[in-house]
């Protein structure tokens, strides 16, 4: 029997999630179904990883996931990871599914010289990495989604843009 190989937290955050995202992109499923399947954390950890001869060398109970829907046009599968003790580990990872496509964003621990902070990064389904610079820490999945919105990565439908233009909140409808 072949010995199982460890998956580090870094590999889980930047390779396993990306691998799952790529596989779902090939299925041609609806955004809603994509989000549901992407959020199947238990299946990912207990089935997909072991079937491939791997095991997680970190406490998987510290990972959680939730699906957020913003503006009826964006599904965001937000993974909360164990608090990162070093760069470039992530605190949050968010798979955004919308009319722009599918992209994976991370709130990463960063270190520049002797200063520690946070940066926003992303990975495309093809594995291309982008760095969007320093950002403030986020304390919740919703706050992370709002950071993505503030950076312009979410799609707003016409009525959302009109409400924002005229200062009308969603509860005023």
């Amino acid at each position: 029997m072949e010995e199982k190989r460890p998956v580090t937290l870094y590999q889980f955050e930047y390779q396993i999630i990306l691998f799952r995202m790529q596989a779902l992109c090939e299925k041609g499923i609806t955004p809603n179904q994509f989000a549901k399947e992407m959020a199947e954390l238990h299946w990912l950890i207990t089935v997909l990883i072991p079937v491939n001869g791997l095991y997680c060398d970190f406490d998987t109970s510290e990972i959680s996931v939730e699906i957020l829907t913003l503006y009826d046009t964006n599904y965001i599968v937000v993974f909360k990871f164990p608090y990162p003790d070093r760069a470039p580990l992530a605190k949050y990872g968010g798979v955004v599914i919308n009319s722009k496509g599918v992209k994976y964003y991370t709130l990463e621990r960063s270190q520049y010289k002797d200063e520690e902070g946070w940066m926003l990064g992303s990975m495309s389904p093809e594995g291309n990495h982008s760095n969007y610079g320093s950002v403030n820490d986020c304390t919740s999945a919703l706050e992370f989604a709002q950071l993505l919105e503030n950076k312009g990565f979410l799609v707003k439908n016409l009525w959302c843009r009109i409400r924002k233009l005229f200062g009308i909140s969603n509860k005023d409808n």
Side-chain angles (χ1 to χ4, degrees):
M1 185 168 147
E2 191 174 315
E3 187 176 327
K4 292 191 175 205
R5 297 179 318 249
V7 172
T8 66
L9 182 57
Y10 177 85
Q11 290 170 319
F12 186 88
E13 293 174 350
Y14 295 100
Q15 293 173 350
I16 299 294
I17 289 178
L18 190 64
F19 170 79
R20 181 70 177 140
M21 190 172 86
Q22 291 167 334
L24 290 175
C25 283
E26 293 173 4
K27 286 181 75 172
I29 54 180
T30 66
N32 182 41
Q33 187 62 34
F34 189 110
K36 286 179 182 177
E37 289 189 31
M38 192 73 219
E40 291 176 354
L41 185 60
H42 180 75
W43 177 84
L44 188 66
I45 292 169
T46 63
V47 177
L48 182 66
I49 289 174
V51 162
N52 286 286
L54 304 169
Y55 71 93
C56 294
D57 75 348
F58 57 91
D59 184 359
T60 59
S61 70
E62 293 185 48
I63 299 175
S64 62
V65 64
E66 63 183 285
I67 300 172
L68 302 175
T69 305
L70 297 178
Y71 307 113
D72 298 326
T73 56
N74 302 275
Y75 291 93
I76 308 168
V77 180
V78 180
F79 293 87
K80 183 176 184 206
F81 302 116
Y83 192 85
D85 59 356
R86 65 188 182 286
L89 293 177
K91 181 177 182 181
Y92 289 102
V95 178
V96 175
I97 306 112
N98 60 28
S99 62
K100 291 181 180 180
V102 177
K103 204 157 188 182
Y104 179 54
Y105 296 93
T106 52
L107 178 65
E108 304 171 19
R109 188 72 173 210
S110 68
Q111 186 163 356
Y112 179 72
K113 297 188 181 182
D114 289 334
E115 283 187 40
E116 290 189 359
W118 301 95
M119 65 155 275
L120 183 63
S122 74
M123 294 191 80
S124 69
E126 299 77 34
N128 300 319
H129 186 267
S130 297
N131 178 337
Y132 300 101
S134 295
V135 294
N136 292 328
D137 187 11
C138 296
T139 59
S140 68
L142 183 57
E143 193 176 334
F144 179 61
Q146 290 168 334
L147 170 66
L148 299 177
E149 175 189 4
N150 293 340
K151 292 287 187 179
F153 299 129
L154 303 184
V155 174
K156 295 181 183 177
N157 65 32
L158 178 61
W159 289 114
C160 289
R161 285 187 234 147
I162 289 171
R163 284 194 293 267
K164 186 171 184 176
L165 179 67
F166 290 100
I168 302 169
S169 71
N170 286 334
K171 63 183 175 190
D172 293 335
N173 293 348

